[in-house]
Every structure is written in structure tokens, then in C-alpha cells.
Amino acid sequence: MSGLAFMVRRNAPLALVLVGLGLLGVGLDRWLNAYYLQIVVLIGINIILAVSLNLINGITGQFSLGHAGFLAIGAYVSAATTRFAGLSSEAALPVALLAGGGAAAVAGLAVGIPTLRLRGDYLAIATLGFGEIIRVVILNTEAVGGARGMGGIPILAGFGSVYACAALCLVMIWRLVYSPRGTAFFAIREDEVAAAAMGIDTTRYKILAFTVGAFWAGLAGGLLAHFIGYLHTNSFTFLRSVEIVVMVVLGGLGSLTGCALAAAILTILPELLRFGAEYRMVIYSLLLIAIMLTRPSGLMGGREISWRSWSSTPAR
Amino acid sequence: MDQLAQQLVNGLAWGSIYALIALGYTMVYGVLRLINFAHGDVYMVGAMSAFYLAHALGFAAAPSLPGFVIVMALSMVVCALLGALIERAAYRPLRRQPRWAMLTTAIGVSMLLEFGGQAVFGADPKFFPQLIESAPAFRIAGAVVTNIDLLIFTVSLLLMLGLRWFVYRTRAGMALRAVSVNVDAAALMGINVDTIIAMTFMIGSALAAAAGAMVGLRNPKIEPLMGLMPGIKAFVAAVLGGIGNFPGAVAGGLLMGVSETLVAAYISSTYRDAVAFVILIAVLLVRPTGLFGSVTVEKV
Amino acid sequence: MNLVWLRRRGFRLGKAVGGIAVAAALVLLAGCQQRTDEIRIGEFGSMTGGTATFGISTHEGIMLALDEINGAGGLLGKPVRVISEDNQSKPEESVTAVLKLIKQNEVVAVVGEVASSRSLAAAPQCQSNHIPMLSPASTNPKVTEVGDYIFRACFIDPFQGSTMARFAVERLHAKRIAILTDTKNDYSVGLTQFFKTTAKQLGAEIVAEESYGEGDIEFKAQLTVIKATNPDVVYTPGYYTECALIARQARELGLDATFLGGDGWDSPKTVEIGGKAVEGTYITNHYSPEDQRPEVQKFLADYRAKYKGKTPDAMAVLGYDAMKMMADAITRAGSTEGEKIRDALAATQNFSGVSGRITMDPQRNAKKDIVVLQIRDGQFRFVESIPPDA
């Protein structure tokens, strides 16, 4: 079979899915009550966040607790782009998103490089520290509203743009990780010293993981900003980072589709529990502890979703 | 410049608090190599239990110094038990698992205490009863030291000296030191590692509870999320001093308190919290073993 | 298609299936019945958190008004229902709360909030959805500047700040003034600006300007700096929890200057937390329970009857007035359409409120008197009343 035909066959299901989602988006806009549509959009954003964090935490094994910082940078930079340039048309969205993602990627670089030689607990705390520093710097930046928040962001993102980005993110990271070179990420996770001894440039892959992960988190931030229309640093604290970590852990560190599923579940769950709002976070934390004590490999056990029934042995 | 003396007094008061909490972090890290994220929340439980005990035992209505001391001692007991419970239920099962599993569980326990606290105590702030009426105790270099500040300095010093005596002059303390150096060797020597670890948690939690009760007295607004920032700052203090090193934790705590106060006074109060993180990053990048820590080689 | 290949690529189909399943379930759930047999008005406020008394007091005022409205037969022949949402004293939660009220509960109008920052966060959503929003007590001018659907039932901070500056310089003869601002709130930042402008014009010297954030518990660093400048008075235009704590810590440091504040100090908790430290503080506010006007006395009696002898604070009064104003506007509009309610609100003239006669000006702010109160023996006592355009 020719190379072109092979490429078309390989990607046909993906194309089908994207078209299907697009149609769904058009239909959903008209059927769904705006409140439920909001939840579905938030699921999409959380999928991007979970998958991007999984690249750093689950696949490359770099325990990062500062993801909310990248989210914040992406949100504020993209909001500043549309607000201060006075743009309000739909076409401005990709520009803003790329600006946000790009800024976050730079931040990812800034975090990834100094923390190269840190391991385990120290890395976690350092990333936590960076996330908080980012938040405090934004808090003190009057130009973006500082401690009082930033409003008046044009509402440009909706179901279509969010799911397009989610699909793109999933595909891009999937292709990055499950390519021949991509096994380097897993090798670093399993045993960094051995990987280096085998000739893998651990520095390059670790920085790549941080940068790509941060880029997508920043892009998700841009989507969030242009969907809600209001930003406040209170939404980007360590707690937000932890919420994303819970999604990744629930889905299974290292399983891209697993954490996408977990993101969906954990976005819907708080809405279902709205009546017991004060118990919502208690249940979250109990869930996290329970997963750690019983099945630390998460729902998918580190494997991707497939037609095979879920096995309990962790993959790789 | 009498202002500086007052700022130092303010800073040292908080520094003592951070030092007490940092000791708990450093002790647990020493024996388990675990950053106990939940430690800051044990401090909060200390403040909360002191609040409820003060009301339940009638001291809130009849303020007195002995009353406060009793309330503080009882909250230390409560938190010691809490610490032992957390260790037994959440950390012991994971001792053989990869490090991130225990770290994630610690985060989970921390969140559970915070939001469970909100559900149980209510999310609104509470106001600690004035068990001791604040009054100036003495003036030094133009700075006012209140009786509560004096109490904090005294109690912290006594607790630290007590800890030092325990760790260096008792058999249990020696066992603790042994476990910190090498768990397996200690076990082979006949030390009951489980008991020692549980004891470590209990002592660390008791110190945090004392800190919580004293903060309640000094800064009366207490609420379930009050442990988040002080917990992180105390952890940074422990890292600054050299994690696993007791005098380091104390020095780190005092340094944190003073630098934070000076930044709030002379730069901007909104950067107060950022000081901790900047110090943290700086330490981790420049001298990860901290001021007093020793370098260990990673064996393959 | 090759089955093995399909199995390996199953994830994409799995995702599509999952997505469709989720969407389908939600579509089924989305069958929300439209109820047109009642008029729904939304309320959002801080029922919990550091400024909980604001939300609770406003809510109590609104509920008292609701009882009277429904007791008189409702509005446009239908019963009125108030749906309340708590924003936990957080601005980002205000957005969520208001979105829920508008999209899920389909309210025709919104009453809220007290804190200007939190009103500012929610206002754009009300404006873009054409739902009239009436803030009972947000005093920062920016709130109504968001759009023509946003109104307020109270005066604005240029008036409040300049009044206190005038009072400080002319009545208290203060020459050296220190200011301690809450930089997390538009209210505090705004009031500080307006106060400073007038104070400087009147010849006073601002000897220190320090800041803190809502939620802080430690203020001695800033207070030590302030004390060293020896001020006559300290202007602290923040919210009651922090202000009371600030006063306490100031006295511990030996800083004895009188405190001045705005309506954010008005809460039953201020004296509870501050104790002796807040004695002597002067604040600007919307009403005084010592006002002998019949509307005020009747309101006091009704409120105490409903809420077990509690004395209402300014937020309760304004909540009551806002609800009554909204009802009055809906009645005059003769419809529940956003546009008509908006026009009716804008046309409010000489409305007889407990907090005074309210007329809406072209900027959708209320022209009203301001009162100065002082804390004496643990109570807020009336000092003087100043009309607008004084």
C-alpha cells in the first residue's frame, strides 16, 4: 500500500471523530441549556490540563505541583492580548491562545532548567514554589488588575474551539510520547541514571516535557479566560494544581486517555455534589487518599483505553 | 531606628512559631524522607482544638494564664494522637511504595484536614478567646514586647530545649537518631521502627499544636485554612536550615519570620508570602542541603 | 478494517464514544421545565467567609422585604421567589454564582453585592445577558460604569471619601494622617484615592501610606511603620474583620491615634472582635438606628420582630431598600423584561427608603445623605448627617 494511503487509513478514525465532535458542537449549542454547556466546555479545558500535566508527571516522572502557574500565565497573557489590543472578533482567539501558550512555554523553560538536578520531593516543592511565585507576581501586577482581578475579557471560546484544542493536544502529545524517540520519556521516569547511562539526553527530554506541558496548560488558560471573561489569582492557587494532579492520579499516571476520562469525571462530580458543596472537597481528598492506598496506578493502571478489558497490572 | 527593634520583635515572634512547626517537618523528614504536607494542618487543628477546649472547660469566660497553659497542653495531646493516626492510616501502608505515592497521599491528608475542618468547624473564621489580656511586658530599644510575645518566646524555648534533651539524652531519642541515619540498620539492631516513627509524628504534631494555640492567642482570627501558608513557610524554614537538622530548623524558622516581617514593612505586604518561595528556590538552586545540612551522595 | 489495528487505535473511538455518552446524558438531563407562575429574583452575596455578616445582613433585609411584598399579593399578580447564592467572599465565585442564577435559575433581575470587587466581577455577566443588577451597598464608582443594566441603591465613594477627609480635617483638626489600605479590594483602593485628594486639598499631610490584603492576620509590620510617623488619625477604609484586628494590634504596639473608616466597618462583629481597641473610631455610613424618621423606626420594629431582637446594620437596611426598589421598578415597568425593568429603575424618583429618599441619577447611582457615626461604649452612635452636594 502506498505511504499516502496508509497515512489516510491510519488517521481516518481521528478525522471521523473530529468531524463528529464538530457536528455535535453545533448541535449542542442549540439543544443544551447554557449551564450544562458550560460544564461540557470545562471538561474540555480540564482534559487539556490533565493531559499536559500527565506528560510531565506521569510520563516523564517529574513530579510537578506548579501547573496552575502555567495555567495562570496563559490565561492572563492571552486575556491581555485581546483586552489591550482591543480585539474582539473570533479570529483573535487563535492569536491570543498562541500568545498565552507561548508565554507559558517560556515559563515552563524557566522552571524546567533550574530544576533539572532536583529529584522527587525537592522537585515537587520547587515547582510548587514556582507556581506560587508566578501567582504572587501576577497578584502584584496592577496592569492586569492585580489583587482585584481582571474583567471585561471578550467571550470568544466555546464548545467548538475548546474541543478542537483538546483533540489537538491529545493527538500531539500522544504522537510525541508513543513515537520511537518518545520511549526516552518513559526511560527517564523509570530510572533516570540508567537512562543517562544508556545515552539518552535526559536534559533535553525533561525540558521538552516541561515546555510542551506548560504550553498546553497556557493554552487551556487562554481558553478559560475567553470563556469565563473574568480572571482572579484566587483561581490559580496550589489547590488548583492539586486538583489537576488528582485528575492525573485518578486516571493513572502515564495514561493519556485515562486522565482525559478522569478529567471528565472529576469535572462533573462537583456539579453533581453542588448541594453538599462543603463536602465536595472532603470527598475529593478522601478519593485521593483512597486511590493512593488501594490502586496507586489509577483507573487505567498506566495503560491507555482500549477494547481490552482493564487489567490490574500496571503497564510499563 | 527604634522601628527596627520593634520589627525584629514582631519577626521573632512569628519566627518562633515557624521554628516549632519546622521542627516537626524536619523530624518526620529525618525518619521517613517524607515531606508531611499535612503538618501545617495539624497546626490548624491545634489552634482549633485549643479554641474549643477553652470554651468547653470554661476558661474563655474566666481568662487566666494557667488556663491557657492547660488548654495548650491538652491540644498538644489531641494533635499528638492525630499525628499518630495519620501516620498509621495514611503513611505506614505506603512505606514500600515509590516516593510520589506518599507525597500525593500527604497532599490528600492535608486537603482532608482543611476541607474536613471547614465542614466540621464551619468555613467562617473564629475568634480565639482572650485567655490572656494583651499588655506590654517591657520595652527594649524602643520596642514594645507584649506579655503574649514573651509567652511565645518562653514556651518555644522550653519546648526546644525539651526536645533537645529528649533526642540527645534518652534512649528513645537515640533510637530516633538511629532511624534517621539508616532505617534498615536500626531495625536490624532491634529497634522497633514502627514505634519510633509513630513517636516522631506524635512529638512533631504536639509542637505544631503548641504553635497553633499560641498563634490563636496572639492573632485571634483562626480558620480551617490557616495552616496552609504557615505550613509552607515552616517547611521552607526547615529546608533553609538543612532538612533533618534540628538547630537548622530553629535558625531557619527565626530567619523566615524576620525576613518576612522586614519585607512586609519595607517593601510591600503583598510580597510577604512570596518571600518564602523566593528563599525556597534560592536555597534549592544554590545550596540544597541548607545552611547546616550535610551533603549526601546519591548511590546507584 | 483490520481488527488488531482497530483495537490499538481504540482509544480514539473510546474517546468519541465517551464524549457522546456524556453529551447524551446531559441532553436528557437538560429538560428543564420553564416555570412562569412566579417571578424569580436572584440574590448573590458573601454568606460565608471573611465578610460573612455583609451577605447575611443583606439577605435578612431582602427576606423581610420579600415577606412584605408577597404579603401584599406579590408582583404583577404573581408570587415572588428569591434565589440566593453564596460567593464565599470571593470575586471569582461571584461570577459562578451569577451565571448560575441567570442561566440555570433564569431570574429576571439580580440584587447584589455589598463588596465592590465582587459586584464588579459579576456585573459584566449581568450586563451582557441584559439582566438588571441592583447593588445594595457597593460604593465604588466603577460598578455602575460597567453598563446601563447595573444600578446601585447607595452613594458612591468620591462622596464617602471626601466627606471623611473633610470631617477629619475640619471637625477633628487632624493635620497628620496615616492611611492603611486593603489592596485586594477596589472599595478600599478607591476610597483611599478620594480621601487623599480632599485631605490634601484641605491642607492635611499624609504621613504614611501602608497596605495589607483582605484575609491577612498580621499587621504589626505596617503599624510599626505608621506609629513611627506619629499620626493624629489613621484612615482604614477596609472591611470589618481586618479593621478590628488592625485596631487591636495597633493598641498593642502603643499606637493610640483615632481610627477613621468607611461603611465597611459596619458589622456586629466589629466590636466583638475589636473590643476596647475600636472605641472612638469614626466611620461614614448609610444609616443610623438612632434616626427618628417613621420609616426607620417601623423598619427597626419589624426587623427586630422577625430576627429576634437583633438591631439591623446598614447592609440589612440597604438590602431591604434594594429589594423594595426592585419590586417598585417591576411594578412600574408592568413586565419582567430586562429592558423594561432597567428603564423603570433608571426612572426611580424620590423613592421612600429606610436609608433615605432615593433618586437615581443619570449614572445609575443613588443620591442620598451620608451619616458619620462613632463607636462609643460598644455601639455605633450618631454624630452628624451630611446631604449630597454639600
Side-chain angles (χ1 to χ4, degrees), chain A residues 274 280, chain C residues 86-98:
Chain A
R274 213 157 237 281
R280 188 203 331 169
Chain C
D86 174 20
N87 62 25
Q88 303 164 38
S89 303
K90 296 180 188 162
E92 66 277 9
E93 290 293 328
S94 286
V95 181
T96 315
V98 138

Side-chain angles (χ1 to χ4, degrees), chain B residues 57-135:
Chain B
L57 297 177
F59 292 117
S64 68
L65 173 60
F68 173 73
V69 174
I70 294 174
V71 161
M72 184 177 82
L74 285 174
S75 73
M76 284 169 79
V77 171
V78 168
C79 287
L81 294 171
L82 177 66
L85 175 66
I86 293 174
E87 191 274 323
R88 182 70 192 78
Y91 300 149
R92 194 179 295 185
L94 295 175
R95 245 183 247 165
R96 297 278 168 220
Q97 296 276 7
R99 290 269 280 282
W100 59 264
M102 245 206 275
L103 193 62
T104 313
T105 312
I107 296 176
V109 174
S110 168
M111 279 170 63
L112 182 63
L113 286 175
E114 282 162 17
F115 296 106
Q118 279 194 333
V120 168
F121 305 131
D124 288 344
K126 301 205 181 331
F127 293 90
F128 205 83
Q130 272 197 295
L131 293 179
I132 299 176
E133 181 101 17
S134 171

Side-chain angles (χ1 to χ4, degrees), chain A residues 114 117 121-122 140 242 292, chain B residues 33 105 111 115 243 270 285:
Chain A
R117 55 189 179 126
D121 306 3
Y122 284 114
N140 281 288
V242 170
M292 283 293 109
Chain B
R33 300 288 180 272
T105 312
M111 279 170 63
F115 296 106
I243 194 129
T270 33
L285 296 182

Side-chain angles (χ1 to χ4, degrees), chain B residues 274-288:
Chain B
V275 173
F277 297 112
V278 170
I279 292 180
L280 175 70
I281 306 284
V283 168
L284 287 180
L285 296 182
V286 172
R287 197 189 153 91

Side-chain angles (χ1 to χ4, degrees), chain C residues 9-49:
Chain C
R9 294 295 179 265
F11 87 98
R12 293 200 185 101
L13 279 168
K15 179 172 183 249
V17 166
I20 293 170
V22 164
L26 291 174
V27 167
L28 287 172
L29 287 171
C32 208
Q33 284 285 37
Q34 288 268 19
R35 298 195 46 197
T36 50
D37 54 342
E38 62 177 10
I39 295 187
R40 283 189 299 278
I41 296 185
E43 173 205 359
F44 75 102
S46 50
M47 322 289 183
T48 56

Side-chain angles (χ1 to χ4, degrees), chain A residues 12-185:
Chain A
L14 177 63
L16 258 170
V17 166
L18 288 175
V19 168
L21 285 177
L23 286 174
L24 216 69
V26 170
L28 276 179
D29 256 333
R30 274 189 293 133
W31 299 335
L32 270 195
N33 172 322
Y35 177 65
Y36 294 110
L37 188 66
Q38 182 186 334
I39 298 179
V40 173
V41 168
L42 286 174
I43 289 179
I45 293 179
N46 282 334
I47 287 178
I48 301 177
L49 286 171
V51 170
S52 56
L53 182 64
N54 209 350
L55 175 62
I56 304 176
N57 282 25
I59 295 185
T60 321
Q62 304 302 297
F63 205 75
S64 165
L65 290 176
H67 221 54
F70 303 135
L71 177 65
I73 289 187
Y76 274 91
V77 168
S78 63
T81 314
T82 41
R83 261 277 297 259
F84 297 141
L87 309 165
S88 57
S89 70
E90 295 255 332
L93 186 62
V95 174
L97 291 180
L98 283 173
V106 170
L109 211 65
V111 171
I113 293 179
T115 55
L116 278 172
R117 55 189 179 126
L118 295 177
R119 302 267 190 283
D121 306 3
Y122 284 114
L123 177 63
I125 292 293
T127 49
L128 165 61
F130 271 112
E132 283 293 298
I133 289 177
I134 290 173
R135 185 182 63 86
V136 171
V137 168
I138 295 177
L139 187 67
N140 281 288
T141 310
E142 283 307 314
V144 289
R148 297 176 292 291
M150 181 186 204
I153 306 170
I155 313 277
L156 300 175
F159 179 88
S161 40
V162 168
Y163 272 85
C165 291
L168 218 67
C169 171
L170 198 61
V171 167
M172 180 199 176
I173 294 185
W174 176 281
R175 292 180 68 88
L176 180 67
V177 163
Y178 289 116
S179 63
R181 293 272 189 85
T183 29
F185 292 114

